Protein backbone atom coordinates (compact mmCIF):
# COMPACT_ATOMS: atom_id res chain seq x y z
CA UNK A 1 0.00 0.00 0.00
CA UNK A 2 1.23 3.48 -0.77
CA UNK A 3 3.00 4.94 2.25
CA UNK A 4 0.95 8.15 2.07
CA UNK A 5 -2.34 6.22 2.11
CA UNK A 6 -1.14 3.98 4.92
CA UNK A 7 -0.13 7.03 6.96
CA UNK A 8 -3.52 8.62 6.26
CA UNK A 9 -5.39 5.63 7.68
CA UNK A 10 -2.97 5.19 10.59
CA UNK A 11 -3.63 8.80 11.59
CA UNK A 12 -7.37 8.46 11.11
CA UNK A 13 -7.62 5.28 13.18
CA UNK A 14 -5.41 6.78 15.88
CA UNK A 15 -7.73 9.78 16.10
CA UNK A 16 -10.82 7.57 16.18
CA UNK A 17 -9.46 5.46 19.03
CA UNK A 18 -9.07 8.47 21.33
CA UNK A 19 -11.39 9.33 24.20
CA UNK A 20 -11.97 12.71 22.55
CA UNK A 21 -13.39 10.97 19.47
CA UNK A 22 -15.70 8.89 21.67
CA UNK A 23 -16.90 12.07 23.40
CA UNK A 24 -17.45 13.77 20.05
CA UNK A 25 -19.48 10.82 18.74
CA UNK A 26 -21.67 10.88 21.86
CA UNK A 27 -22.32 14.60 21.39
CA UNK A 28 -23.04 14.14 17.69
CA UNK A 29 -25.42 11.28 18.43
CA UNK A 30 -27.38 13.51 20.80
CA UNK A 31 -27.53 16.22 18.13
CA UNK A 32 -28.61 13.66 15.52
CA UNK A 33 -31.38 12.39 17.78
CA UNK A 34 -32.61 15.97 18.22
CA UNK A 35 -32.45 17.03 14.56
CA UNK A 36 -33.80 13.86 12.95
CA UNK A 37 -37.32 14.65 14.11
CA UNK A 38 -39.29 17.02 11.91
CA UNK A 39 -41.68 17.83 14.73
CA UNK A 40 -39.73 20.98 15.62
CA UNK A 41 -39.71 22.29 12.05
CA UNK A 42 -42.20 25.10 11.71
CA UNK A 43 -41.21 26.27 8.23
CA UNK A 44 -39.72 24.71 5.13
CA UNK A 45 -36.54 26.66 5.90
CA UNK A 46 -36.37 24.95 9.32
CA UNK A 47 -36.95 21.60 7.65
CA UNK A 48 -34.17 22.07 5.07
CA UNK A 49 -31.78 23.30 7.75
CA UNK A 50 -32.52 20.24 9.91
CA UNK A 51 -32.13 17.95 6.88
CA UNK A 52 -28.69 19.40 6.19
CA UNK A 53 -27.71 18.97 9.81
CA UNK A 54 -28.89 15.35 9.78
CA UNK A 55 -26.95 14.60 6.58
CA UNK A 56 -23.71 15.94 8.07
CA UNK A 57 -24.28 14.20 11.39
CA UNK A 58 -24.98 10.86 9.66
CA UNK A 59 -21.74 11.24 7.71
CA UNK A 60 -19.72 11.96 10.85
CA UNK A 61 -21.38 9.18 12.85
CA UNK A 62 -20.61 6.69 10.07
CA UNK A 63 -17.07 7.88 9.35
CA UNK A 64 -15.31 5.25 11.45
CA UNK A 65 -17.22 2.33 9.91
CA UNK A 66 -16.78 3.77 6.43
CA UNK A 67 -13.03 4.28 6.96
CA UNK A 68 -12.60 0.74 8.27
CA UNK A 69 -14.49 -0.69 5.29
CA UNK A 70 -12.44 1.26 2.75
CA UNK A 71 -9.20 0.27 4.48
CA UNK A 72 -10.24 -3.41 4.49
CA UNK A 73 -11.12 -3.17 0.78
CA UNK A 74 -7.74 -1.59 0.02
CA UNK A 75 -5.92 -4.33 1.93
CA UNK A 76 -7.92 -7.06 0.18
CA UNK A 77 -7.26 -5.49 -3.21
CA UNK A 78 -3.56 -5.25 -2.47
CA UNK A 79 -3.50 -8.85 -1.30
CA UNK A 80 -5.20 -9.93 -4.53
CA UNK A 81 -2.75 -7.90 -6.65
CA UNK A 82 0.48 -7.66 -4.62
CA UNK A 83 2.75 -6.43 -7.42
CA UNK A 84 0.50 -3.72 -8.82
CA UNK A 85 0.42 -0.07 -7.85
CA UNK A 86 -3.17 0.46 -6.83
CA UNK A 87 -4.65 3.90 -6.55
CA UNK A 88 -7.83 4.35 -4.58
CA UNK A 89 -10.04 7.24 -5.53
CA UNK A 90 -12.59 8.27 -2.94
CA UNK A 91 -15.87 8.99 -4.74
Amino acid sequence: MDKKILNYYDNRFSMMSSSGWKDLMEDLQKMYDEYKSVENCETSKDFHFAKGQVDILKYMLGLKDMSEKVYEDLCAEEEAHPNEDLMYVNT
Side-chain angles (χ1 to χ4, degrees):
M1 184 178 308
D2 182 275
K3 196 171 198 164
K4 188 175 180 180
I5 293 173
L6 184 59
N7 189 46
Y8 171 84
Y9 282 101
D10 284 344
N11 289 336
R12 180 168 278 203
F13 294 138
S14 176
M15 172 188 67
M16 291 175 175
S17 65
S18 72
S19 60
W21 181 263
K22 182 182 176 193
D23 292 341
L24 176 62
M25 290 299 104
E26 288 173 4
D27 291 345
L28 293 179
Q29 184 65 54
K30 289 175 189 173
M31 292 173 67
Y32 174 78
D33 293 341
E34 180 181 327
Y35 279 114
K36 73 179 180 179
S37 173
V38 295
E39 292 174 356
N40 298 327
C41 298
E42 295 178 9
T43 67
S44 64
K45 185 177 179 179
D46 292 342
F47 172 78
H48 290 291
F49 177 79
K51 184 180 181 319
Q53 296 292 90
V54 167
D55 288 345
I56 292 167
L57 292 167
K58 282 172 53 177
Y59 171 80
M60 288 299 298
L61 291 168
L63 187 59
K64 183 177 180 186
D65 290 339
M66 180 180 61
S67 296
E68 289 171 348
K69 173 71 171 119
V70 170
Y71 184 77
E72 289 170 6
D73 289 350
L74 285 171
C75 290
E77 187 69 22
E78 185 171 276
E79 191 174 300
H81 306 282
N83 297 323
E84 296 179 23
D85 287 333
L86 300 173
M87 180 56 124
Y88 178 76
V89 178
N90 189 4
T91 56

